[in-house]
Amino acid sequence: MLQCGTFLQYGTFLHIRNFHRIFDKLLSLMCLIKIKIEIWGKKIMFNIKGIFNKMTNKNDNSNEIQNTLPLREDEKKQFHIWSPLKGKILELSKVSDQAFSSGCMGDGIAIIPDEGIIFSPVKGKIISIFPTKHAFCIQCDDGMEILIHIGIDTVALEGKGFKSLVNDGDLIEVGTPLSEFDLNLISSSGYETTTLVLITNSSSYSEVIHSKENNIDVSSLLLTIVE
């Protein structure tokens, strides 16, 4: 009976943990859909405004792309993403969660953090904060879509050890503090602290250039995105 009871408890634990993982991926998908709706809404409004300006012979530069670097020699635009954390860089393919390592959530990079605080890697807008405060969706001013996901399977912590410093809809600058999290609590609870920085619409760009450094500081160059 004891063995049977232990087996049932373990089975229940696995079921709950798998549910959390599925829930986490569903939240990520909902975040991406929300970003897409936001961007397409802006594109529609921009097109309507452009038509109106042509009819009235007005020039409007208010939607000029920001955060864009000078053109490369091949005349392609490029964008920089700065590190939101201090820590050790880990290739995405080496992340233990296949949903991330496979690249199906987008190209990007992982960082094993030295400190429990995250800063914004770009200028843009907070589109969504997960209810459990372990992940953020950001829409950049130039159209890039970024998912920052703190830890692996940390959705199971149900918000314990995480503190959001921003709200949905907040406009952010590079270096704006986004979140504080308890590294010791995450590790002692049996979860990895590996944090993902993903370009969820990376398929819209020709190249994502990753930092070659082994260790990185906050606001150091992490990724270069080529149009």
Side-chain angles (χ1 to χ4, degrees):
M1 288 293 292
L2 180 61
Q3 289 182 345
C4 181
T6 302
F7 175 78
L8 287 173
Q9 282 186 331
Y10 182 66
T12 302
F13 170 76
L14 287 178
H15 175 73
I16 292 172
R17 185 153 184 164
N18 285 335
F19 172 78
H20 276 126
R21 294 189 68 179
I22 294 169
F23 181 65
D24 189 29
K25 302 307 177 288
L26 286 174
L27 283 175
S28 298
L29 180 60
M30 289 171 64
C31 173
L32 303 189
I33 292 172
K34 188 174 181 180
I35 290 176
K36 294 291 185 185
I37 292 172
E38 182 90 11
I39 288 175
W40 278 108
K42 285 193 174 181
K43 284 182 177 179
I44 291 170
M45 289 304 297
F46 177 73
N47 288 338
I48 292 173
K49 185 179 281 189
I51 293 170
F52 176 78
N53 286 338
K54 285 182 179 179
M55 291 174 63
T56 57
N57 295 318
K58 290 183 179 179
N59 292 319
D60 183 6
N61 296 319
S62 62
N63 284 281
E64 193 173 24
I65 295 177
Q66 301 180 51
N67 296 335
T68 306
L69 299 171
L71 294 179
R72 305 193 326 167
E73 290 183 3
D74 56 10
E75 296 189 350
K76 289 184 177 180
K77 294 176 183 175
Q78 56 182 344
F79 316 92
H80 280 171
I81 293 179
W82 310 96
S83 178
L85 291 164
K86 178 181 180 182
K88 180 182 178 181
I89 287 180
L90 183 68
E91 292 179 18
L92 197 61
S93 61
K94 295 181 179 179
V95 172
S96 61
D97 190 330
Q98 192 173 5
F100 297 123
S101 61
S102 65
C104 68
M105 300 291 291
D107 199 350
I109 204 163
I111 302 173
I112 301 172
D114 291 337
E115 301 171 343
I117 185 167
I118 282 187
F119 300 89
S120 175
V122 292
K123 180 179 179 182
K125 180 181 179 181
I126 299 292
I127 294 300
S128 182
I129 302 173
F130 286 45
T132 46
K133 313 297 182 186
H134 74 290
F136 297 79
C137 295
I138 301 171
Q139 179 190 326
C140 305
D141 287 354
D142 48 48
M144 273 188 296
E145 306 159 11
I146 297 176
L147 171 65
I148 299 178
H149 191 286
I150 307 168
I152 304 298
D153 292 335
T154 44
V155 64
L157 290 173
E158 299 180 344
K160 295 176 183 177
F162 296 93
K163 179 183 178 182
S164 177
L165 304 178
V166 290
N167 299 303
D168 281 354
D170 281 359
L171 300 179
I172 53 175
E173 302 286 339
V174 174
T176 299
L178 301 181
S179 173
E180 293 177 350
F181 53 99
D182 190 329
L183 287 172
N184 291 330
L185 187 149
I186 295 171
S187 297
S188 64
S189 298
Y191 300 100
E192 297 177 42
T193 59
T194 303
T195 296
L196 293 305
V197 181
L198 303 176
I199 314 302
T200 58
N201 64 336
S202 56
S203 60
S204 299
Y205 299 90
S206 63
E207 189 177 6
V208 177
I209 303 170
H210 305 76
S211 171
K212 300 300 183 183
E213 301 294 328
N214 293 320
N215 296 283
I216 197 161
D217 289 323
V218 175
S219 295
S220 296
L221 181 60
L222 184 67
L223 298 167
T224 300
I225 316 301
V226 182
E227 185 182 46

